[in-house]
């Protein structure tokens, strides 16, 4: 079976066909091209009809089935844009939505073909052309109308969705329970989505886990704060169940169960609860401020509350750290109060307009809560002493000498607190705000509101973040937790996981222990949030357009540095552990390479770096030492000539440029469509199969014109191809003369453009497109059988759709497994297709994917082409698959100077630092070939000879005009010596290199317009016939090797 060298998608006549078209000689017709290997069956892209509806000016409903019968309705399909009828559309946000967007329905704009091609096609079938006709109201396409179902998704505005949540989280347990202690110590003086999409899955995945875990632990912190208050009330009423620590655990576990129930009920209930809790909290805060101006009682004075006092404010203004505490240890405990700023961003998917709601709600929440914290800190610092005994008998008379403390000046002696622990004051009593307030129970209610609302928000945030992480499938083992339930896709499984994490930390029952753990994780998250903003700006990606007026990238970088610094200052070993966890998860993701594409800033930065490097290369002149073969490989589609691609990658992978190229021939409309379909498809195939190469396709009137375009336009700056790799045209004897002219013309063009040239010949051939077609037919047959089996199962089973669907999945899985087994068994197929299958061809096509073992690479370096002929085989020996093969060098020489020639070549290779196992000088290379060999050559060219010498001049002239491509007697006589050499070389190759793994031989050059295409093909044929794989190489006659340092 013979095959054309045809890396295009058309035959000689220019008829469009499959990209895997195979021309058979003396064999049955080829299979009809399948849709998987060349687009649709008829080769024409079909436009999808769509349903639509709209109102005319009178309000009457027009036809909505999307199919118009009469041609006079065509004018109704045009829309008036800028005052005239056109299919073109004005900008509209719906064109830019994702298919799965919750905020609106995605609308498809007219394609370029719809705008550019002729309008004879039914314009009404174009998606997105019928809306906004009368009054600008967009009609819904594809039958997708706005949902009128009451169970539509719940979406929140900026007040309920962001402002309320952020304030409730920031006004949390720290405000009511720990702020007084912090003032005493220190004085008065969605985040996963953002990170992952900005920095990519490596950082996004790791920080997503940490951020969701931090939010889960935050649930425990807030619940423990709530439990502390409950236990204090129980203690005051002598109603402890066991002991304070155990009671905190009991109350905490009961509380988190109740909160879980509210959360599972849905976001709508949770939001309603948040609003109620905010009202209670606001009342509690107002109650505190009122209490500060209500005259203090004797009991409150004994507990350290004296209303506003200037000397008290002065005394509490500076720090007074005790019990081993310092600024950063106190900061670590207070910091979780600030984590509430992301409460709105964490549920961005549940907001009506996140772009407006998040910045507006968050900034306002920060402003309000900051003023509140400052106000409460000043009020507490100005009204309450650091230590108090609680005894009304610890008063002193003004006549007694005072120790200078504010309490002493105010008539109380709390000096005993210097030697023993006291129960009251800023440093000792966590319920100071309750004592100061006008009505204590309202503060208790505020504490309950703050802690429960914050716990509730964290209990919602952690599962939402974790669900997003799981659905991204970065960590495949976590996918189980990504499943959503109900209209809002509630992450019930993630809720339960968060519940158990929270319970585990609730059992610690110590707020000051839990808070620093959260601080470290949140600081790491904030550092990466800042860095993602900086990195997006630094990468200069056009998609990064921050709307915040005062945004500055350097402020973001400063925030990153500060967060990292604070992490290590607070607790260096905890920071090291956090960084180690992030790095471990990052390395895991890099190693597993999840199939995600988020348009991250890392991608943008890679592009910028590559562009800058490419530009910098243009300012540096090429140097011989840095030469590397950068190849255009005429593979057609990459999978149809695997041997050609594999061999090229053997000396270019991770080393130089490799471009798999394909020429599409035929009608321009079809070829352009094929190119657009093939670009992503084949580039993804290369990536999936770990082929380090690019794919490029061009359209051309014929193969030669297409390759000319590739030779001239491929590459970028210094990363420009310099070598053309092409397969040997095995079917040249049966191909049309125009095909031969085009093939040889490509070789001439390569030399004209100063490319090196590499031609690979394998005796079995290179093109396996027929095999791929057979495999595709097999796959379709197996899918058909699977579907038929599923239908039979459905008919036998009365359950309609449950069992049958499972069976269908099993059938498809079975089909896939069968294909895999076939692949492992060298694609052995049924006897139905046995006559069309070439097992030897398939084995030959994969031979360069295997380890070559111990053997030889025989290099017949007959002509100095600049060194490419020796460089390519040397590069092969540096590869793992070829490292067991030794180089054997064969050169031409004179019989009387063989030793000198051998020493000279050894010296040259030594200077090039190229090692070889042997050097052999062929002294009889210019001898005439044997009669048998010459007879074989004459028989080879006989059908293509003109034989004008045996005819009269007039007849000979007519024949030359009629058959200009034939070999003339004059041409054969003129190049007889060169012809003898090719025949003789084959004899020598048969004699010396039959056992080589691969043969590299200098490619003979044919002079343009002097050597006919058929004579040149005959040279290549006789030179490389009946041999192991042969690589014929010719450089562009410029040095590619140097021994100068």
């Amino acid at each position: 079976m013979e095959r054309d060298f045809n890396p295009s998608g058309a035959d000689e006549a220019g008829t469009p066909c499959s990209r895997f078209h195979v021309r058979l000689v003396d064999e049955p017709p080829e299979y009809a091209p399948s849709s998987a290997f060349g687009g649709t069956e008829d080769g024409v892209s079909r436009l999808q009809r769509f349903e639509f509806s709209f109102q005319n000016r009178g309000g009457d409903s027009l036809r909505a089935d999307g199919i118009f019968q009469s041609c006079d309705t065509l004018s109704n399909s045009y829309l008036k844009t800028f005052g005239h009828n056109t299919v073109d559309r004005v900008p509209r946000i719906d064109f830019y939505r994702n298919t799965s967007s919750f905020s609106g329905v995605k609308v498809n704009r007219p394609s370029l073909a719809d705008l550019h091609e002729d309008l004879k096609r039914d314009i009404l079938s174009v998606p997105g052309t019928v809306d906004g006709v009368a009054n600008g109201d967009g009609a819904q396409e594809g039958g997708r109308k706005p949902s009128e179902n009451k169970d539509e998704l719940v979406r929140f505005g900026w007040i309920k969705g962001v402002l309320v949540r952020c304030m409730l989280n920031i006004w949390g347990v720290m405000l009511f329970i720990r702020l007084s202690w912090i003032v005493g110590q220190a004085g008065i003086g969605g985040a996963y989505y953002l990170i992952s999409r900005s920095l990519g899955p490596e950082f996004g995945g790791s920080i997503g886990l940490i951020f969701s875990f931090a939010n889960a632990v935050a649930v425990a912190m807030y619940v423990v704060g709530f439990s502390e208050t409950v236990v204090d009330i129980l203690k005051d009423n002598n109603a402890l169940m066991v002991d304070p620590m155990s009671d905190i655990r009991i109350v905490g576990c009961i509380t988190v169960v109740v909160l879980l129930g509210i959360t599972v009920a849905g976001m709508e209930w949770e939001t309603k609860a948040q609003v109620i809790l905010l009202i209670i909290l606001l009342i509690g805060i107002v109650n505190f401020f009122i209490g500060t101006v209500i005259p203090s009682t004797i009991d409150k004075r004994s507990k350290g509350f004296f209303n506003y006092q200037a000397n008290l404010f002065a005394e509490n203004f500076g720090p007074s750290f005790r019990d081993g505490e310092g600024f950063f240890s106190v900061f670590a405990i207070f910091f979780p109060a600030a984590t509430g700023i992301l409460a709105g961003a964490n549920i961005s998917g549940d907001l009506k307009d996140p772009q407006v709601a998040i910045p507006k709600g968050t900034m306002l929440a920060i402003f309000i809560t900051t003023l509140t914290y400052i106000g409460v800190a000043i009020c507490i610092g100005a009204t309450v002493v650091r230590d108090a005994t609680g005894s009304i008998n610890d008063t002193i008379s003004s006549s007694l000498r005072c120790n200078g403390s504010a309490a002493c000046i105010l008539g109380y002696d709390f000096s005993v607190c210097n030697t023993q622990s006291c129960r009251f004051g800023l440093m000792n009593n966590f319920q100071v705000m309750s004592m100061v307030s006008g009505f204590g129970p309202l503060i208790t209610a505020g504490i309950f509101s703050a802690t429960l609302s914050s716990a509730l928000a964290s209990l919602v945030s952690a599962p939402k973040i974790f669900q997003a992480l799981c659905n991204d499938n970065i960590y495949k083992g976590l996918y189980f937790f990504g499943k959503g339930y109900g209209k809002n896709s509630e992450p019930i499984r993630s809720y339960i996981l968060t519940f158990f994490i929270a319970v585990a930390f609730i059992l610690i029952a110590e707020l000051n222990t839990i808070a620093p753990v959260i601080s470290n994780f949140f600081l790491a998250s904030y550092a990466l949030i800042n860095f993602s903003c900086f990195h997006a700006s630094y990468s200069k990606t056009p998609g990064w357009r921050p709307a915040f007026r005062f945004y500055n990238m350097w402020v973001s970088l400063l925030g990153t540095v500060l967060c990292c610094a604070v992490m290590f200052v607070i607790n260096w070993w905890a920071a090291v552990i956090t960084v180690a966890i992030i790095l471990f998860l990052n390395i895991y993701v890099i190693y597993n390479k999840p199939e995600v594409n988020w348009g991250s800033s890392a991608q943008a930065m890679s592009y910028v770096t590559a562009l800058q490097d490419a530009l910098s290369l243009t300012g540096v002149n090429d140097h011989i030492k840095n030469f590397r073969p950068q190849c255009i490989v005429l593979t057609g589609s990459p999978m149809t000539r695997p041997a050609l691609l594999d061999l090229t990658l053997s000396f270019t992978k991770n080393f130089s440029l490799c471009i798999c190229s394909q020429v599409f021939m035929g009608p321009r409309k079809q070829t352009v469509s094929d190119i657009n379909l093939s670009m992503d498809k084949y580039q993804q195939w290369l990536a999936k199969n770990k082929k380090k190469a690019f794919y490029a396709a061009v359209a051309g009137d014929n193969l030669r014109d297409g390759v000319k375009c590739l030779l001239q336009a491929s590459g970028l700056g210094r990363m420009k191809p310099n070598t053309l790799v092409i397969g040997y045209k095995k079917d040249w004897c049966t191909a049309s003369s125009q095909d031969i002219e085009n093939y040889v013309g490509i070789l001439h063009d390569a030399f004209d453009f100063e490319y090196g040239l590499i031609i690979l010949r394998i005796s079995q051939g290179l093109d396996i497109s027929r095999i791929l077609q057979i495999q595709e037919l097999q796959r379709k047959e197996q899918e058909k059988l699977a579907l038929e089996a599923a239908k039979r199962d459905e008919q036998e089973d009365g359950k309609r759709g449950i069992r049958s669907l499972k069976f269908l999945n099993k059938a498809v899985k079975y089909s896939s497994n069968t294909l895999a087994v076939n692949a492992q068994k060298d694609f052995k197929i049924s006897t139905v297709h046995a006559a069309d299958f070439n097992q030897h061809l398939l084995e030959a096509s994969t031979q360069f994917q295997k380890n070559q073992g111990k053997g030889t690479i025989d290099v017949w370096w007959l002509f100095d082409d600049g060194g490419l002929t020796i460089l390519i085989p040397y590069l092969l020996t540096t590869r793992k698959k070829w490292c067991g093969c030794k180089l054997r060098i064969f050169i031409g020489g004179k019989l009387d100077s063989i030793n000198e020639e051998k020493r000279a070549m050894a010296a040259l290779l030594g200077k090039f630092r190229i090692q070889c196992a042997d050097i052999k000088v062929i002294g009889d290379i210019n001898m005439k070939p044997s009669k048998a060999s010459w007879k074989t050559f004459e028989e080879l060219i006989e059908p293509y000879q003109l034989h004008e010498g045996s005819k009269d001049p007039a007849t000979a002239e007519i024949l030359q005009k009629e058959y200009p491509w034939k070999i003339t007697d004059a041409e054969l006589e003129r190049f007889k010596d060169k012809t003898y050499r090719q025949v003789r070389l084959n004899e020598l190759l048969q004699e010396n290199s039959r056992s080589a793994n691969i043969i590299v031989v200098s490619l003979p050059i044919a002079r343009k317009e002097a050597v006919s295409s058929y004579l040149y093909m005959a040279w290549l044929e006789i030179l490389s016939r009946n041999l192991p794989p042969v690589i014929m190489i010719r450089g562009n006659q410029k040095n590619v090797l140097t021994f100068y340092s």
Side-chain angles (χ1 to χ4, degrees):
M1 184 171 68
E2 299 287 336
R3 289 177 174 79
D4 280 341
F5 174 82
N6 185 9
S8 65
D11 58 21
E12 297 90 334
T15 305
C17 62
S18 166
R19 287 189 287 276
F20 302 101
H21 173 66
V22 180
R23 181 178 182 274
L24 300 181
V25 180
D26 298 329
E27 290 193 26
E30 66 269 24
Y31 284 84
S34 63
S35 60
F37 295 94
T40 58
E41 292 181 359
D42 59 4
V44 180
S45 300
R46 300 197 188 325
L47 293 175
Q48 302 286 333
R49 291 187 177 272
F50 71 107
E51 296 182 2
F52 63 94
S53 62
F54 56 87
Q55 300 290 325
N56 64 9
R57 293 186 185 275
D60 298 326
S61 178
L62 300 182
R63 185 182 178 96
D65 60 4
I67 304 174
F68 283 25
Q69 301 295 333
S70 60
C71 61
D72 62 348
T73 60
L74 183 62
S75 61
N76 293 331
S77 70
Y78 290 102
L79 302 180
K80 288 208 169 191
T81 303
F82 305 123
H84 63 278
N85 292 333
T86 177
V87 181
D88 212 345
R89 307 295 303 280
V90 296
R92 176 177 171 187
I93 190 173
D94 294 332
F95 292 148
Y96 300 91
R97 298 190 193 280
N98 290 329
T99 304
S100 57
S101 174
F102 292 117
S103 56
V105 178
K106 174 178 173 56
V107 176
N108 294 325
R109 66 172 62 80
S111 69
L112 184 61
D114 298 329
L115 302 174
H116 191 255
E117 301 298 332
D118 119 16
L119 286 172
K120 292 180 181 178
R121 191 175 297 163
D122 182 5
I123 207 68
L124 291 176
S125 64
V126 179
T129 57
V130 184
D131 67 345
V133 175
N135 52 20
D137 296 330
Q140 304 300 318
E141 294 159 7
R144 293 177 66 188
K145 300 180 179 180
S147 174
E148 297 179 358
N149 190 348
K150 292 182 180 179
D151 292 334
E152 63 184 2
L153 298 177
V154 179
R155 291 288 178 263
F156 307 112
W158 70 273
I159 295 178
K160 281 187 178 181
V162 182
L163 179 64
V164 171
R165 291 176 180 278
C166 288
M167 288 196 301
L168 282 171
N169 271 262
I170 298 172
W171 285 335
V173 64
M174 294 301 163
L175 176 65
F176 290 98
I177 299 179
R178 287 296 184 273
L179 185 59
S180 58
W181 176 83
I182 290 168
V183 171
Q185 289 277 0
I188 302 174
Y192 162 68
Y193 195 88
L194 170 65
I195 299 169
S196 63
R197 269 56 180 181
S198 295
L199 295 182
E202 297 84 5
F203 280 107
S206 57
I207 207 62
L209 277 178
I210 289 176
F211 195 53
S212 55
F213 179 76
N215 274 278
V217 177
V219 176
M221 183 188 74
Y222 295 125
V223 170
V224 167
F226 167 79
S227 302
E228 278 189 6
T229 304
V230 174
V231 169
D232 284 343
I233 295 172
L234 294 176
K235 190 188 299 183
D236 292 340
N237 293 277
N238 296 319
L240 289 175
M241 293 174 280
V242 184
D243 58 69
M245 193 69 74
S246 298
D247 284 8
I248 289 175
R249 293 175 179 138
I250 294 169
V251 174
C253 290
I254 296 172
T255 304
V256 79
V257 170
V258 175
L259 294 176
L260 179 65
I262 297 174
T263 304
V264 171
M267 287 291 295
E268 200 167 2
W269 284 97
E270 186 264 348
T271 302
K272 290 177 180 177
Q274 293 277 29
V275 173
I276 295 171
L277 292 173
L278 177 63
I279 294 172
I280 296 172
L281 192 149
L282 288 171
I283 293 172
I285 293 174
V286 171
N287 176 53
F288 163 76
F289 284 113
I290 292 173
T292 59
V293 297
I294 295 175
S296 178
T297 63
I298 295 176
D299 180 63
K300 286 186 177 182
R301 283 176 173 268
S302 68
K303 294 178 180 178
F305 173 57
F306 295 96
N307 294 111
Y308 291 101
Q309 303 291 334
N311 54 355
L312 197 54
F313 177 85
E315 182 177 270
N316 288 336
F317 190 82
S320 178
F321 296 111
R322 303 180 190 175
D323 303 325
E325 301 289 352
F327 174 82
F328 285 104
S329 63
V330 174
F331 175 82
I333 295 171
F334 174 74
F335 182 78
T339 59
I341 62 174
L342 290 181
N346 289 341
I347 63 160
S348 57
D350 295 303
L351 300 176
K352 291 178 182 177
D353 189 357
Q355 186 174 352
V356 173
I358 291 175
K360 189 175 182 179
T362 302
M363 295 302 291
L364 185 56
I366 291 174
F367 177 74
I368 294 173
T369 54
T370 299
L371 290 180
T372 304
Y373 268 101
I374 293 173
V376 171
I378 291 174
C379 291
I380 283 183
T383 58
V384 183
V385 296
R386 280 191 167 98
D387 299 287
T389 60
S391 172
I392 61 175
N393 298 320
D394 286 341
T395 59
I396 58 174
S397 62
S398 58
S399 60
L400 293 177
R401 186 175 178 182
C402 190
N403 59 10
S405 67
C408 181
I409 295 171
L410 294 170
Y412 280 82
D413 182 13
F414 298 141
S415 58
V416 68
C417 294
N418 295 329
T419 57
Q420 64 184 44
S421 60
C422 294
R423 292 178 53 200
F424 299 98
L426 297 178
M427 303 292 286
N428 311 299
N429 183 13
F430 292 146
Q431 303 297 328
V432 165
M433 286 189 68
S434 180
M435 177 195 69
V436 171
S437 65
F439 183 61
L442 283 179
I443 291 297
T444 302
I447 294 172
F448 288 174
S449 173
T451 53
L452 293 179
S453 63
S454 298
L456 200 56
S458 295
L459 193 56
V460 169
S461 298
K464 289 282 185 181
I465 298 167
F466 195 62
Q467 183 187 39
L469 176 66
C470 296
N471 288 337
D472 285 334
N473 206 22
I474 296 174
Y475 305 103
K476 297 187 182 298
L478 302 179
Y479 190 75
F480 172 81
F481 296 100
K483 183 175 176 58
Y485 296 86
K487 59 188 177 183
N488 266 33
S489 188
E490 299 291 346
I492 304 297
R493 296 175 179 176
S494 295
Y495 283 143
I496 295 172
L497 177 63
T498 303
F499 167 78
F500 283 110
I501 294 173
V503 168
F505 278 85
I506 286 171
L507 296 179
I508 296 175
E510 179 56 54
L511 191 63
N512 286 13
T513 302
I514 300 172
V517 175
I518 300 173
S519 296
N520 228 300
F521 285 147
F522 274 113
L523 279 167
S525 302
Y526 296 157
L528 281 176
I529 289 174
N530 279 302
F531 184 71
S532 66
C533 293
F534 167 76
H535 197 265
S537 299
Y538 187 73
S539 63
K540 297 179 176 61
T541 174
W544 172 251
R545 298 181 293 274
F548 185 54
R549 183 185 305 174
F550 304 105
Y551 168 76
N552 185 280
M553 61 184 287
W554 301 109
V555 174
S556 298
L557 181 61
L558 177 62
T560 303
V561 174
L562 289 176
C563 287
C564 293
V566 171
M567 279 176 63
F568 282 89
V569 171
I570 288 176
N571 191 323
W572 69 267
W573 57 265
V576 169
I577 293 173
T578 304
V579 172
I581 292 172
I582 293 174
L583 289 177
F584 171 77
L585 295 173
N586 185 38
I587 293 169
Y588 171 84
V589 174
I590 292 173
Y591 180 78
N592 284 275
K593 293 182 174 64
E595 295 181 359
V596 295
N597 182 14
W598 294 333
S600 66
S601 60
Q603 290 175 309
M605 197 65 218
S606 296
Y607 173 84
V608 171
T609 302
L611 182 62
Q612 290 174 345
D613 289 344
L615 289 171
S616 66
L617 278 176
T618 60
V620 180
N621 292 327
D622 289 331
H623 194 281
I624 300 172
K625 288 192 296 184
N626 294 323
F627 175 87
R628 56 195 69 212
Q630 304 191 100
C631 302
I632 293 177
V633 192
L634 297 184
T635 57
S637 60
M639 64 277 287
T640 53
R641 292 174 178 80
L644 189 64
L645 178 57
D646 291 334
L647 179 69
T648 307
L649 290 175
S650 295
F651 56 82
T652 62
K653 187 177 180 181
N654 296 326
F655 173 77
S656 58
L657 182 67
C658 178
I659 303 176
C660 297
S661 302
Q662 183 171 9
V663 178
F664 287 90
M665 298 180 290
R668 179 55 57 91
K669 184 182 296 184
Q670 181 62 34
T671 55
V672 170
S673 175
D674 288 341
I675 290 174
N676 293 335
L677 290 171
S678 66
M679 293 301 291
D680 287 339
K681 173 183 174 183
Y682 292 136
Q683 191 62 60
Q684 289 173 9
W685 183 90
L686 290 168
K688 183 177 180 181
N689 290 275
K690 298 181 179 179
K691 309 289 187 183
K692 300 280 183 81
F694 298 97
Y695 173 77
V698 295
D701 294 332
N702 55 58
L703 180 62
R704 183 179 182 182
D705 287 345
V707 176
K708 274 185 181 179
C709 294
L710 290 167
L711 293 174
Q712 295 176 82
S714 296
L716 182 68
R718 296 293 183 190
M719 293 187 295
K720 183 177 177 62
N722 53 32
T723 306
L724 176 66
V725 182
I726 189 171
Y728 177 69
K729 190 168 180 61
K730 188 172 183 290
D731 66 341
W732 70 275
C733 293
T734 56
S736 69
S737 60
Q738 187 59 48
D739 275 355
I740 304 304
E741 291 291 334
N742 282 338
Y743 180 82
V744 176
I746 289 171
L747 309 185
H748 287 305
D749 293 337
F751 289 133
D752 286 342
F753 292 117
E754 296 189 342
Y755 274 69
L757 188 59
I758 299 176
I759 302 176
L760 172 65
R761 179 175 187 178
I762 298 176
S763 58
Q764 294 86 355
L766 295 168
D767 188 357
I768 65 166
S769 56
R770 182 62 175 274
I771 297 173
L772 297 175
Q773 288 181 338
I774 293 172
Q775 290 174 358
E776 178 64 12
L777 289 174
Q778 278 188 286
R779 185 185 65 80
K780 290 185 175 181
E781 289 175 4
Q782 290 173 346
E783 288 180 355
K784 182 180 178 182
L785 292 173
L787 288 170
E788 290 175 352
K791 288 179 180 178
R792 287 195 301 270
D793 183 73
E794 186 174 355
Q795 292 172 355
E796 294 171 2
D797 185 20
K799 295 183 180 179
R800 297 295 297 177
I802 300 176
R803 181 182 167 194
S804 62
L805 183 58
K806 293 180 179 178
F807 187 87
L808 177 60
N809 290 336
K810 291 180 180 179
V812 173
K813 186 176 180 181
Y814 167 78
S815 175
S816 301
N817 290 339
T818 304
L819 284 175
V821 171
N822 286 342
Q824 293 174 359
K825 294 181 178 179
D826 288 332
F827 307 95
K828 293 180 180 178
I829 59 173
S830 62
T831 55
V832 177
H833 302 299
D836 300 311
F837 192 84
N838 189 331
Q839 188 68 26
H840 295 296
L841 171 59
L842 186 60
E843 291 173 355
S845 71
T846 59
Q847 63 180 303
F848 299 130
Q849 298 174 8
K850 305 170 186 175
N851 192 301
Q852 300 300 306
K854 292 186 178 180
T856 64
I857 300 174
D858 285 4
V859 183
W860 291 71
W861 193 10
L862 304 176
F863 307 101
D864 195 326
D865 57 354
L868 188 64
T869 305
I870 192 68
L871 178 62
I872 296 298
Y874 165 75
L875 293 175
L876 287 178
T877 62
T878 63
R879 300 297 178 163
K880 186 176 180 180
K881 291 186 177 76
W882 293 87
C883 62
C885 295
K886 304 297 183 183
L887 291 181
R888 294 199 304 173
I889 312 298
F890 294 83
I891 59 174
K894 297 179 181 178
L895 289 172
D896 57 355
S897 59
I898 288 179
N899 290 332
E900 290 82 354
E901 298 281 355
K902 186 173 182 178
R903 282 195 296 269
M905 177 54 64
L908 180 60
L909 294 176
K911 285 183 173 291
F912 287 150
R913 298 177 298 282
I914 295 177
Q915 297 180 354
C916 62
D918 188 22
I919 299 174
K920 187 170 183 179
V921 180
I922 307 298
D924 55 352
I925 197 169
N926 285 322
M927 290 179 59
K928 286 186 178 181
S930 66
K931 291 182 179 180
S933 297
W934 183 249
K935 184 178 180 182
T936 300
F937 180 79
E938 288 180 327
E939 292 172 351
L940 177 66
I941 64 173
E942 173 61 31
Y944 315 109
Q945 283 188 268
L946 193 63
H947 294 297
E948 79 282 6
S950 60
K951 299 176 178 60
D952 60 87
T955 304
E957 186 176 353
I958 293 172
L959 287 174
Q960 279 187 317
K961 290 181 178 178
E962 187 175 354
Y963 303 104
W965 46 269
K966 283 199 171 186
I967 304 170
T968 64
D969 294 341
E971 176 190 1
L972 195 59
E973 180 63 27
R974 179 181 176 187
F975 295 104
K976 180 177 287 186
D977 290 341
K978 199 165 188 175
T979 305
Y980 281 160
R981 187 185 305 131
Q982 312 313 317
V983 180
R984 175 58 179 158
L985 274 173
N986 183 261
E987 292 178 343
L988 294 170
L989 289 166
Q990 298 282 352
E991 179 183 338
N992 294 277
S993 299
R994 287 285 297 173
S995 61
N997 292 54
I998 195 167
I999 298 171
V1000 179
V1001 61
S1002 293
L1003 174 72
I1005 296 180
R1007 293 188 179 276
K1008 285 196 302 181
E1009 301 178 1
V1011 178
S1012 65
S1013 297
Y1014 274 93
L1015 178 58
Y1016 187 58
M1017 291 305 300
W1019 287 353
L1020 301 184
E1021 173 70 27
I1022 201 65
L1023 173 64
S1024 58
R1025 175 178 280 190
N1026 299 327
L1027 290 169
V1030 177
I1031 309 176
M1032 293 172 275
I1033 301 179
R1034 176 63 66 135
N1036 65 357
Q1037 304 305 115
K1038 294 182 179 180
N1039 288 347
V1040 300
L1041 292 173
T1042 182
F1043 43 79
Y1044 296 105
S1045 59

